[in-house]
Amino acid sequence: MNWGEMLSRRARVEVDGELATILAGPPPGTLGMTGGFPNPATFATELLVEIAQRLVRDEPGIALQYTASEGIPSVREYLLERVEATQGRRPERAELGVTSGGMECIDLISRTLLDPGDAVVVEAPTYLGAIMAFARYQAELTGIGMDEHGMDVDQLEERLESGFKPKLVYVIPEYQNPSGRTLSLERRHALVDTCRRHGVLIFEDVAYRELSFGGDSLPTLWSIGPDVVLQAGTFSKVFCPGVRLGWAAGPAELVAQLAVAKQNTDQCAGALGQRMVEEYGRAGHFERALPSTRSLYATHWAALSKALDEHMPHGCAWSEPTGGMFTLLRMPESLDAIALRPAATEAGVAYVPGRPFYVTDDGANEMRLSFSALDEAQLAEAAKRLAGVIEAAVDFAGSRSS
Amino acid sequence: MNWGEMLSRRARVEVDGELATILAGPPPGTLGMTGGFPNPATFATELLVEIAQRLVRDEPGIALQYTASEGIPSVREYLLERVEATQGRRPERAELGVTSGGMECIDLISRTLLDPGDAVVVEAPTYLGAIMAFARYQAELTGIGMDEHGMDVDQLEERLESGFKPKLVYVIPEYQNPSGRTLSLERRHALVDTCRRHGVLIFEDVAYRELSFGGDSLPTLWSIGPDVVLQAGTFSKVFCPGVRLGWAAGPAELVAQLAVAKQNTDQCAGALGQRMVEEYGRAGHFERALPSTRSLYATHWAALSKALDEHMPHGCAWSEPTGGMFTLLRMPESLDAIALRPAATEAGVAYVPGRPFYVTDDGANEMRLSFSALDEAQLAEAAKRLAGVIEAAVDFAGSRSS
């Protein structure tokens, strides 16, 4: 049988293989600046040992059992409190659901809203996993440009004014993936206003929000416009990815649909992970642990930033994140990050090419550098190796064109 | 905003609310014979405490981190061994993937193969979660009748011979949900033969296979026809549902597509759950624990069976499972299990009505009784209460028609 001939139209949509490459980890022997993986040093191992054993021992009937698709009641209650504490606004009970992580929420909302041909707006660039997910639902993707203050909301507004009617606008407001940029407060209000006026849903991904280097953060889009924003949150970056847990907050009508959609995927997020996050959070550990997580990434960025300044050849530029795990590096126009990869692997350094983060052919000369996994010395060495690879390519391009 | 107006066609497909009702648990104060939930007494609490704490302490970088979408390599290796040990055939590496449970595999295969309007064959009756999932992909569902030997394969073959061309045939060969029936060996071979001849994929759900009361089991469809069968397995029934873990075994081309689809849903099954199952399994605990799990359910069924014999009024009949968690009870034609539910709740007993397990209007006078959760005394009492409810309804129907 040739099963390939039987694939659905959705499965025939060509998607970029980069996400699989990222999840598989960097090539052996390289210093990897690839994944948006949290640094395992931020995992609260000793606490989780204690919490996991207590839950399994004391309440196997809850922590090891199926749960309702919208989540365990006590976990939902805790998440209401936590959203209120971190965002200054408490969702109604019906405005919050438990998910198996932020990516799953992208799938659930796509499933709920998107028909083939529907328009979806994304930042250009944006998270490649989101592009893949929307593309697989056969949505038509439109990228809106960014500058150092995040998405160009004026550009979006012009498009909406001219009659463009997307089903949703996907935004990562903080330390954006892959650009590292943060949407300014003024633009947050402008975005909510324009989307509200045009009846367009904002789909806000707050994956990195709690990882500001300084501990400060801007109001979430959801807290500004709970009537027009659906927020996807995840515990992958501030707790651990190994339990697959996140939340959705937004209009009750949509949150209810997400739970229905979830009945037909994994039915429920794993109960053990749900209760682990609740126990950890209720004991105040997020507040206690986040400062050192933030300072770890801040220190990493300082090391990488310094090394980039020191080693990168003329003609390269990069974003200046104020939190999170990423910077986006732009090389001279003549260079292609995908073409450079074999040389980089050879030199012992790995990155993610920029092009898969765009819905157009842009980004060929860009690359995303993650500074979460490597330590300061490794980041300095990685930047140096990468600079060497780029420099050699610049020289080669120069000699070729002369 | 009226977000309800923006739903996708897929989300507008009316699905039965019964699955949500099941996941939410039986009404308070009732003896619940509702969910296909494993009995928490079968959870290996003490072992899991030890395994979870060891994994979190010794390998947070694996057990708490993201994994490749197809699963952690060592876990995949273990699953190859386990499939070989339990099914007598070892999949190739490319023929096996890790899932977040059996239901998620139904979603992944639907996503991979089904376009709106595609035909899907199911047993009549079949698992209502599968019906919902296929319906949400806008598939056209056809039910094939069953008798005590499982699906009527001759009937399917006739349909296929007459030009009917479904994308897949979904089968639960053992202790079927909801009927409790097992597909005979002869029909297994006939099913594989006819589907192979007609180029139709068999989607085999082995959720209950290891729960035979006697410990014996028939060859899986996948082991008979690995070229034409995709098998979904789950650890929810023999380990615990709280970690959301299962496997897919089948043609390499399809298994690869499932991993691609998974990148855009939850990205990967939770690493902690993956490694817990591997550690538990490699230490030989499945073999040690399964006999007592089987004997628990066998004892439960014996108690329920005895009570049904004793209390059920004339005109009721039920299936005789040889494993698993379910029997399907048929009441006299005049009765409706959905209409009877308030009286049953009032009497302190809960079941799942039969109709949602059919793709037609059949099954109104049927109900699924799960004997996993209640103990022997409770099952006896539940059957007695249920019999009283049915008897009163029979009497009422009789007096009405006379």
Side-chain angles (χ1 to χ4, degrees), chain A residues 8-10 38 45 53 56 64-66 104 107 111-112 115 127 132 237 241-242 244 265-267, chain B residues 8-10 38 45 53 56 64-66 104 107 111-112 115 127 132 237 241-242 244 263 265-267:
Chain A
S8 61
R9 284 190 288 276
R10 166 185 330 110
T45 306
Q53 73 177 25
V56 174
L64 301 178
Q65 192 54 282
Y66 289 104
E104 197 224 6
D107 178 60
R111 183 183 289 252
T112 297
D115 283 314
Y127 174 43
M132 286 169 68
K237 315 299 178 183
R244 316 307 303 124
T265 53
D266 62 0
Q267 296 197 327
Chain B
S8 62
R9 284 190 288 276
R10 164 185 332 109
T45 306
Q53 73 177 22
V56 173
L64 301 179
Q65 191 56 283
Y66 289 105
E104 197 224 6
D107 179 60
R111 185 183 289 253
T112 297
D115 284 315
Y127 174 43
M132 286 170 68
K237 315 299 180 186
R244 317 308 301 126
Q263 288 169 28
T265 54
D266 62 359
Q267 297 198 326

Side-chain angles (χ1 to χ4, degrees), chain A residues 156-337:
Chain A
L156 172 65
E157 176 147 30
E158 264 171 46
R159 297 292 306 271
L160 297 180
E161 291 290 345
S162 73
F164 176 54
K165 182 79 182 175
K167 270 275 177 85
L168 58 88
V169 177
Y170 174 71
V171 191
I172 308 168
E174 290 87 17
Y175 331 122
Q176 199 244 12
N177 183 359
S179 74
R181 291 167 185 144
T182 294
L183 189 66
S184 70
L185 180 59
E186 192 187 345
R187 288 198 188 167
R188 287 173 194 237
H189 283 283
L191 180 61
V192 168
D193 287 347
T194 192
C195 285
R196 184 182 282 142
R197 215 162 48 242
H198 290 93
V200 173
L201 184 73
I202 299 171
F203 182 36
E204 174 186 36
D205 183 341
V206 293
Y208 305 95
R209 179 169 186 265
E210 300 191 57
L211 299 180
S212 78
F213 298 151
D216 53 321
S217 49
L218 293 173
T220 60
L221 294 168
W222 173 79
S223 72
I224 296 172
D227 54 318
V228 71
V229 178
L230 188 99
Q231 177 181 89
T234 177
F235 287 100
S236 291
K237 315 299 178 183
V238 297
F239 184 74
C240 75
V243 299
R244 316 307 303 124
L245 199 75
W247 71 88
E253 205 168 356
L254 291 177
V255 168
Q257 288 293 331
L258 301 187
V260 174
K262 198 164 173 55
Q263 288 170 27
N264 302 132
T265 53
D266 62 0
Q267 296 197 327
C268 57
L272 181 58
Q274 288 190 49
R275 289 284 292 120
M276 283 171 73
V277 165
E278 180 191 351
E279 289 296 296
Y280 180 85
R282 285 198 190 271
H285 293 307
F286 281 115
E287 292 69 28
R288 268 192 287 281
L290 273 168
S292 69
T293 298
R294 290 180 185 126
S295 117
L296 179 83
Y297 294 132
T299 310
H300 282 197
W301 167 240
L304 177 59
S305 174
K306 180 162 172 286
L308 292 173
D309 282 338
E310 193 172 334
H311 300 295
M312 276 295 151
H314 181 74
C316 288
W318 52 92
S319 59
E320 295 279 348
T322 56
M325 307 179 169
F326 307 117
T327 183
L328 190 69
L329 183 139
R330 176 174 292 157
M331 304 182 290
E333 290 279 344
S334 59
L335 300 191
D336 183 309

Side-chain angles (χ1 to χ4, degrees), chain A residues 18 21 27 34 336-346 349-353 389:
Chain A
E18 201 58 45
T21 307
T34 49
D336 183 309
I338 293 174
L340 273 190
R341 186 142 55 177
T345 303
E346 182 71 20
V349 61
Y351 55 81
V352 181
V389 171

Side-chain angles (χ1 to χ4, degrees), chain B residues 104-121:
Chain B
E104 197 224 6
C105 193
I106 297 178
D107 179 60
L108 294 175
I109 195 71
S110 298
R111 185 183 289 253
T112 297
L113 291 181
L114 299 182
D115 284 315
D118 278 349
V120 166
V121 165

Side-chain angles (χ1 to χ4, degrees), chain A residues 323-401:
Chain A
M325 307 179 169
F326 307 117
T327 183
L328 190 69
L329 183 139
R330 176 174 292 157
M331 304 182 290
E333 290 279 344
S334 59
L335 300 191
D336 183 309
I338 293 174
L340 273 190
R341 186 142 55 177
T345 303
E346 182 71 20
V349 61
Y351 55 81
V352 181
R355 181 167 284 173
F357 296 98
Y358 289 86
V359 299
T360 58
D361 283 343
D362 289 341
N365 61 327
E366 298 178 6
M367 53 177 64
R368 185 188 78 176
L369 305 181
S370 166
F371 47 83
S372 63
L374 301 181
D375 66 23
E376 297 169 64
Q378 289 171 320
L379 284 164
E381 176 62 23
K384 192 174 157 189
R385 290 179 186 177
L386 183 59
V389 171
I390 295 175
E391 196 144 28
V394 169
D395 289 351
F396 179 73
S399 71
R400 208 175 36 177
S401 66

